[in-house]
Amino acid sequence: MDFAVKAAARPPQSKKCGLEAYVATETKTDVVMELNRARPVAGAVELRSDTFTRPSAEMRAAMAAAEVGDDVYGEDPTVNRLEARAAEIFGKEAALFVPSGCMGNLVAIKVWTHHGDEVICEERGHVNLYELASMSAVAGCMPRIARADDGILNWEQIEAVIRPKIYYDSQPALICLENTVNMWGGLVYPTAQVDEICDRAHERGLKVHMDGARIFNAATALGEKVSFMTRKVDSVMFCLSKGLGAPVGSMIAGTKAFIEKGRIYRKMFGGGMRQAGVIAAAGLIALEKSPERLHIDQENAKWLAEGIAEIPGLAIDPKKVRSNIVIFDCSKTGKTAVELCDALHPHGVWAQDTAVHSVRVVTHCDVDRAGVERALVVLKEVVAKTQKAGA
């Protein structure tokens, strides 16, 4: 729980002039890096994302002692073990270690599509909002948006956006599902619903890719194995570096033919790594040991949501919290989400704005129950002062 940034260490979020002044003297990339830079500060509660998890002592020791080779040649034994184990756990023929979830999703999209194809995804899905339009810029595809009230698509909603087979209409080639659904508060796809989408999609000649960045959180919520949950999808990506706690890396899994082609695109996209066993070693520990403790994070998320629901001015339905992501509304506080996050920051609690009045907090292995309780105390005090000042 010791990641935070002192207020003076970054440009203000809520004061536009401050950020513009920064841009005047620094490149935009420099500004983004400064906004995201963290310095260890004892006692802070890091709730912006589960990407802030730090490798355990066991992971660090494994990284230091990792047996390595050249993975571009396919000769890194630790990477090979990780890939084989991931494939086994997901019940797939093969798997591939990639530097990031975004690259994993892009590789899958590139394998399953051709230039001019459409990729059907939910409006607020990660592949549509947070992957820099890479499906268009790199894979040459266009997102075809389907909308669901809770981010969980059903076949009827997908079928409604499939264009008639007319030569002058672009055609879909792939459906991307996200599980858990990040921007909808970590909601979880029922496996039967995924199966139905896959069955109907395959009847239409469409492939289905699962963006399973937090698939193990979904598995924990459902009490199911990931192999069962993803048995009908054509490919799946999952992150080692979120709730599983590894410092870097993601995996994609599917048929041998899919992975063989994916390996080519990984190299094309700059993801060929050499002695990658150093980071794969941490990934192996994350994959084997971290899923069994995710229920703790999800219990903490539920506790956090229930506490937030009791704070006047904040709105959330705790019953909808299924995994480790909590998104609440702050519109009745008189502050925007950015302003509220900025107000929390000096008190050592980090949260993330996701919309004008939506704030996201994410539980993970570096935030225990005491950290959650502290965050609730700070949040209640900050909101109360805000409302008092506005009275």
Side-chain angles (χ1 to χ4, degrees):
M1 296 189 301
D2 63 354
F3 273 98
V5 176
K6 295 180 180 178
R10 62 170 186 162
Q13 292 184 37
S14 57
K15 296 180 181 180
K16 186 176 181 182
C17 60
L19 183 56
E20 287 176 343
Y22 237 77
V23 174
T25 57
E26 305 285 345
T27 67
K28 290 184 179 180
T29 300
D30 291 334
V31 173
V32 171
M33 292 301 292
E34 187 64 27
L35 283 167
N36 288 289
R37 186 171 293 119
R39 299 173 185 171
V41 178
V45 184
E46 176 54 83
L47 293 169
R48 283 176 296 173
S49 178
D50 46 10
T51 60
F52 284 91
T53 55
R54 294 158 299 162
S56 64
E58 184 180 8
M59 290 180 187
R60 293 174 186 270
M63 292 168 72
E67 184 181 5
V68 298
D70 192 324
D71 183 49
V72 172
Y73 283 78
E75 296 178 2
D76 189 299
T78 307
V79 172
N80 292 343
R81 285 196 295 272
L82 174 61
E83 291 175 343
R85 186 63 179 131
E88 180 183 17
I89 289 173
F90 278 80
K92 301 297 184 185
E93 293 179 1
L96 184 68
F97 186 39
V98 292
S100 71
C102 289
M103 181 179 286
N105 283 335
L106 179 58
V107 166
I109 290 171
K110 185 63 178 170
V111 169
W112 296 130
T113 66
H114 300 283
H115 278 61
D117 286 342
E118 291 184 339
V119 176
I120 297 174
C121 56
E122 208 280 325
E123 183 177 25
R124 300 189 72 193
H126 197 279
V127 294
N128 187 48
L129 290 185
Y130 298 115
E131 300 189 7
L132 293 168
S134 61
M135 73 166 72
S136 300
V138 180
C141 298
M142 287 294 291
R144 178 69 166 160
I145 301 306
R147 293 181 174 87
D149 292 338
D150 56 2
I152 305 293
L153 291 169
N154 57 43
W155 176 249
E156 288 71 26
Q157 292 162 334
I158 292 170
E159 188 176 37
V161 301
I162 297 177
R163 299 181 191 272
K165 285 192 175 295
I166 303 172
Y167 79 92
Y168 50 78
D169 274 351
S170 55
Q171 295 295 310
L174 178 66
I175 298 167
C176 279
L177 306 177
E178 184 183 355
N179 199 13
T180 63
V181 189
N182 182 2
M183 285 295 103
W184 288 94
L187 293 181
V188 177
Y189 266 90
T191 300
Q193 197 159 318
V194 174
D195 289 348
E196 181 187 12
I197 290 171
C198 291
D199 289 340
R200 301 289 83 79
H202 294 155
E203 290 171 2
R204 295 281 195 117
L206 303 176
K207 299 294 186 180
V208 180
H209 171 67
M210 174 70 75
D211 174 358
R214 296 180 174 90
I215 190 71
F216 284 97
N217 291 97
T220 299
L222 294 174
E224 297 175 355
K225 292 184 177 180
V226 291
S227 56
F228 175 76
M229 295 166 61
T230 63
R231 68 192 187 280
K232 291 192 176 184
V233 301
D234 298 286
S235 57
V236 58
M237 182 281 295
F238 69 94
C239 289
L240 297 163
S241 57
K242 290 188 169 71
L244 299 188
V248 62
S250 293
M251 309 293 300
I252 54 175
T255 64
K256 288 182 179 178
F258 167 78
I259 293 300
E260 286 172 2
K261 198 169 183 180
R263 192 178 300 275
I264 295 170
Y265 289 128
R266 183 188 68 172
K267 188 70 169 70
M268 182 185 292
F269 299 159
M273 298 177 284
R274 300 298 178 175
Q275 286 69 43
V278 172
I279 50 178
L284 268 168
I285 293 171
L287 184 59
E288 296 287 1
K289 297 190 175 182
S290 296
E292 65 190 24
R293 62 153 309 282
L294 291 179
H295 68 95
I296 299 171
D297 299 338
Q298 299 186 184
E299 290 164 4
N300 284 338
K302 179 70 76 171
W303 179 274
L304 186 56
E306 290 171 350
I308 291 170
E310 296 177 357
I311 299 176
L314 303 182
I316 187 174
D317 182 357
K319 294 178 181 178
K320 292 185 176 181
V321 175
R322 298 291 310 280
S323 57
N324 68 324
I325 299 175
V326 177
I327 296 180
F328 62 90
D329 181 89
C330 66
S331 56
K332 292 184 179 180
T333 65
K335 284 186 176 292
T336 66
V338 169
E339 290 168 343
L340 180 58
C341 291
D342 278 351
L344 294 170
H345 170 255
H347 302 280
V349 174
W350 277 88
Q352 180 70 52
D353 60 288
T354 61
V356 177
H357 292 108
S358 293
V359 176
R360 186 186 77 164
V361 286
V362 184
T363 55
H364 50 80
C365 60
D366 286 346
V367 177
D368 58 14
R369 182 58 63 90
V372 169
E373 291 174 347
R374 182 187 164 197
L376 285 170
V377 169
V378 170
L379 185 57
K380 185 176 182 179
E381 291 177 352
V382 167
V383 170
K385 288 179 181 178
T386 297
Q387 294 175 325
K388 184 178 181 180

